[in-house]
Amino acid sequence: MPDDDMALPRAAAPAEARPIPSWAKKAPPKSSTAVRTPAKTTWHKRLAPRDPHDHARTIAENVIDAWYQSYGGSSIDIPIGTVAALALLRQPTEIGNGLADWILNRQPHELPQLFKEIYLGYWIKRPDLINRALRLHDWAWNPDPDTQQLRAVQAVTHRAINQGLLDLTGHDDPYMRAESDVLSPLLTGLRHKSDKKWRGEYHTPACVTDLMANMLVDKEFARPNLAIREPAVGSGTMFRSVAQRLRDLGLDPHDYHWYGNDIDALAAACAAVNTIIWDLGPRAHIGCADSLAIEDGGHAKTLAEAKEAFEERDRYVGTATAIVASRRAFRLLDELMETAAA
């Protein structure tokens, strides 16, 4: 059978060539629905208040606005956990804004993995505190996240970074990181008024805790190994003031025992993250219990939970180490077998 019989039918050639109209020589207009390459997002620093406490409040107000414009609802642990994860990152001045730019260019579905990696990185060092902060990062492990919720997380991320969150919490120096408490105004701002009322939750302003710390803490009082306890720690604002006062006196917060407790799991989670941000040291523990219902305010229970968290971490790390060693051994064995066969 001739090949021409298999060809597709074609239109007949015109009897005579016609001139091409002028409108046909122009490129067709671009469709509004055409797929466009997303523009790279670059960090733009907003004019931030000089006072770190005002700066923290400004960040909180903007985050709250971004959350409720994009999603809202009662899941306030999600925007708080987002800001808490970002506050655990370090962006020293000498490296510029590369980290901020990189985060701003993450797609919504990429952010939960980023936050999981941040929390897991600190879990290796302080599993007890990251376990206490479970309310802030548990949502990131959701295998089937809500798309609109992820967009809201992205909006919160952009607003927090563009308002200068890393300027407050990204320093290598813990004294600079502890100049303010970003999570306190965020937690109180997201709580409904009726919710705060029945909980009896009223966070002490930073100006008051700073004044109390300056009045009560001096070198004669602040002996090494002193235990500093707060039965209603909230997000840890009083701890922040005492730690800064110790540093002003040339003392190291690592030389002291810190124990904070709060009946509210979300507040205790914020205090746990702040304990890491402010670098209170290896002897700082955060509990979640009713201080009035337990004889020691839950201290023994918190220490037992911390011990269990470290033991669990050691088991996981031991298992992972064994798996890595086994895989390395199998690779070496394969190489030896290939060498022998050659």
Side-chain angles (χ1 to χ4, degrees):
M1 183 179 294
D3 292 341
D4 289 344
D5 291 343
M6 298 296 295
L8 294 175
R10 298 182 181 181
E16 57 181 33
R18 296 179 181 177
I20 301 175
S22 59
W23 58 264
K25 297 178 182 179
K26 298 180 181 179
K30 293 183 179 179
S31 171
S32 60
T33 59
V35 178
R36 299 176 182 176
T37 303
K40 183 178 179 181
T41 305
T42 305
W43 175 75
H44 297 289
K45 181 179 178 180
R46 303 294 191 269
L47 185 60
R50 292 186 178 182
D51 181 75
H53 303 306
D54 287 341
H55 192 176
R57 285 191 291 269
T58 298
I59 292 172
E61 290 167 0
N62 277 269
V63 165
I64 293 168
D65 180 63
W67 173 251
Y68 282 116
Q69 280 190 0
S70 304
Y71 193 78
S74 59
S75 303
I76 65 173
D77 51 317
I78 297 176
I80 298 174
T82 298
V83 174
L86 296 171
L88 287 169
L89 292 171
R90 301 289 165 262
Q91 180 177 258
T93 307
E94 57 270 17
I95 72 170
N97 303 318
L99 177 61
D101 287 340
W102 183 85
I103 295 172
L104 291 175
N105 281 283
R106 296 309 93 197
Q107 295 301 310
H109 69 275
E110 297 176 305
L111 292 174
Q113 182 62 33
L114 169 63
F115 298 146
K116 286 192 291 185
E117 290 177 3
I118 294 171
Y119 282 112
L120 284 171
Y122 281 98
W123 178 82
I124 295 295
K125 303 175 184 178
R126 289 302 303 268
D128 56 325
L129 294 177
I130 296 302
N131 285 359
R132 182 66 65 207
L134 181 64
R135 283 284 303 275
L136 299 182
H137 58 83
D138 186 48
W139 61 271
W141 268 261
N142 183 0
D144 187 24
D146 180 357
T147 303
Q148 185 59 36
Q149 189 180 87
L150 291 181
R151 293 196 188 98
V153 168
Q154 185 188 47
V156 166
T157 300
H158 281 223
R159 196 72 70 90
I161 290 179
N162 284 327
Q163 290 296 328
L165 174 65
L166 297 181
D167 290 340
L168 287 181
T169 59
H171 301 279
D172 281 335
D173 185 355
Y175 187 91
M176 300 291 289
R177 298 198 301 267
E179 283 194 316
S180 65
D181 179 359
V182 177
L183 299 182
S184 177
L186 185 56
L187 175 60
T188 55
L190 285 167
R191 289 268 200 220
H192 193 273
K193 290 183 179 180
S194 60
D195 194 16
K196 286 187 287 188
K197 185 175 181 180
W198 77 262
R199 288 175 184 274
E201 182 180 55
Y202 299 97
H203 289 214
T204 308
C207 59
V208 176
T209 58
D210 287 344
L211 177 61
M212 293 172 62
N214 290 335
M215 292 174 60
L216 298 175
V217 179
D218 55 33
K219 282 197 172 182
E220 294 182 1
F221 170 80
R223 305 178 305 278
N225 293 318
L226 182 72
I228 303 169
R229 298 194 179 194
E230 173 59 88
V233 72
S235 62
T237 304
M238 190 69 217
F239 277 0
R240 183 202 64 79
S241 297
V242 173
Q244 292 297 79
R245 175 60 174 165
L246 291 174
R247 291 177 175 126
D248 286 337
L249 295 173
L251 302 172
D252 188 353
H254 287 212
D255 294 334
Y256 300 84
H257 296 273
W258 304 81
Y259 175 62
N261 180 75
D262 203 281
I263 193 172
D264 176 39
L266 198 52
C270 291
V273 172
N274 277 334
T275 296
I276 297 173
I277 295 172
W278 302 331
D279 192 24
L280 299 186
R283 294 185 285 182
H285 298 91
I286 301 296
C288 182
D290 186 349
S291 297
L292 300 178
I294 306 177
E295 184 176 354
D296 65 345
H299 184 238
K301 176 176 175 288
T302 299
L303 293 181
E305 291 172 347
K307 181 181 178 182
E308 183 179 350
F310 277 97
E311 291 173 349
E312 181 185 41
R313 179 207 62 184
D314 293 341
R315 287 195 299 271
Y316 280 122
V317 171
T319 301
T321 303
I323 292 173
V324 170
S326 298
R327 290 179 177 176
R328 186 178 294 118
F330 280 121
R331 283 198 301 269
L332 291 174
L333 182 60
D334 289 340
E335 292 174 4
L336 288 173
M337 294 295 288
E338 291 175 1
T339 303

